[in-house]
Amino acid sequence: VGRDIIAANPMADLPKPGVERSRDRVLADDELTRVWRAASALPYPFGPAFRLLILTGARRSEVFALSWDEIDTEAAAVNLDGMRTKNGKPHSIPLAKPALGIVADLPRIGRIKDGYVFTTTGRTPISGISKAKARLDELAAAIDAAGKTLEKPEPIAPWRTHDLRRTV
């Protein structure tokens, strides 16, 4: 319709195939503590990436595809142009001291100036996020909020990576 190929959208009046359900899941303090501790036990690149998600409240794609040239350590911020944000507008994400500490400790793989922060190849951002999230859940189930190993795993109620953003 927008390109004047057809006069009307044949799908315009059809009902949606299902009910949209907005999520409202947030992690309780003890759950978030367990996820933080579990993320601390995960090696690079996923452990630091999940911890940065918790500290910033950023979107998963904003952190997992972060490039070095988007980080301004002097201003303590991640500066994203509109091509990398959901609404298409430039956005700045403040970095607290713990987040800056995580960034400072990260290895530099591949292109130093504009390469990806979380990468295993130096050419592409990390992938396999679902497997990493499953491993994070396993680790979080095995510890309590104090970080003590549990005799019997106690899984956290189902949650998604985006729930960290909502929690923050």
Side-chain angles (χ1 to χ4, degrees), residues 49-94:
F50 279 113
R51 289 186 298 155
L52 208 53
L53 283 175
I54 293 169
L55 290 172
T56 62
R59 295 183 188 286
R60 183 177 87 171
S61 63
E62 294 171 347
V63 169
F64 286 22
L66 187 64
S67 66
W68 287 108
D69 61 349
E70 294 173 326
I71 300 173
D72 183 345
T73 54
E74 287 186 26
V78 169
N79 298 308
L80 302 173
D81 66 29
M83 296 295 290
R84 292 252 297 120
T85 63
K86 183 177 178 181
N87 65 6
K89 297 179 181 178
H91 179 65
S92 182
I93 303 167

Side-chain angles (χ1 to χ4, degrees), residues 8 24 40 49 59 64 110 113 124 136 143 153 162:
D24 58 2
S40 297
R59 295 183 188 286
F64 286 22
K113 184 177 185 294
T124 59
L136 183 67
I143 57 174
H162 189 79

Side-chain angles (χ1 to χ4, degrees), residues 118-137:
F118 300 107
T119 181
T120 56
T121 65
R123 295 180 304 278
T124 59
I126 52 177
S127 60
I129 298 166
S130 297
K131 287 181 182 178
K133 165 67 168 62
R135 180 69 180 131
L136 183 67
D137 286 340

Side-chain angles (χ1 to χ4, degrees), residues 100-120:
L100 285 170
I102 289 170
V103 169
D105 290 341
L106 294 174
R108 302 251 180 160
I109 299 172
R111 299 181 311 213
I112 302 302
K113 184 177 185 294
D114 62 348
Y116 291 104
V117 174
F118 300 107
T119 181
T120 56

